[in-house]
Amino acid sequence: FPVTIHIPKNDYSYVRIHFYFPYPKTTAQKDRIQNAPMRYKYDVDNLIKAIFDALQQSGIVEDDRIISGVYAEKLFTTNEQGYIEFELE
């Protein structure tokens, strides 16, 4: 479903990103732990690049090269759908 968020345009220097992925359906319910690190699938650097490109294409940042620091994690969620949380400073 489409989501509209309003983020002020600025020259942000730091980004903190948490990528949440649902567990595979084959994972037993008792083995599902919220916020467990995801240590396989998807290169975190490619996920970061996608966020940076989206920030630039949406006009939130003029040029993603100005971002000097990033903290990113890939985590599991017990929710049925994945999601992304991020903070800009």
Side-chain angles (χ1 to χ4, degrees):
F1 59 88
V3 176
T4 302
I5 57 175
H6 300 282
I7 302 171
K9 183 178 179 179
N10 202 340
D11 288 336
Y12 296 101
S13 298
Y14 302 99
V15 182
R16 181 176 299 114
I17 314 167
H18 293 99
F19 299 95
Y20 293 94
F21 293 92
Y23 279 93
K25 299 212 182 289
T26 56
T27 304
Q29 287 289 347
K30 66 178 181 65
D31 295 331
R32 297 179 185 201
I33 301 167
Q34 182 68 22
N35 298 335
M38 181 186 209
R39 294 196 168 100
Y40 62 90
K41 251 187 175 183
Y42 313 115
D43 293 342
V44 74
D45 59 321
N46 292 333
L47 297 170
I48 293 167
K49 180 68 175 150
I51 294 293
F52 281 19
D53 288 347
L55 290 171
Q56 184 172 320
Q57 289 175 11
S58 66
I60 294 169
V61 296
E62 188 171 321
D63 188 337
D64 63 5
R65 290 182 286 183
I66 64 167
I67 298 171
S68 60
V70 62
Y71 176 82
E73 287 186 297
K74 300 182 304 180
L75 304 166
F76 280 112
T77 180
T78 54
N79 296 340
E80 290 199 17
Q81 294 197 353
Y83 57 97
I84 301 168
E85 293 179 342
F86 65 95
E87 295 176 52
L88 302 167
E89 293 179 26

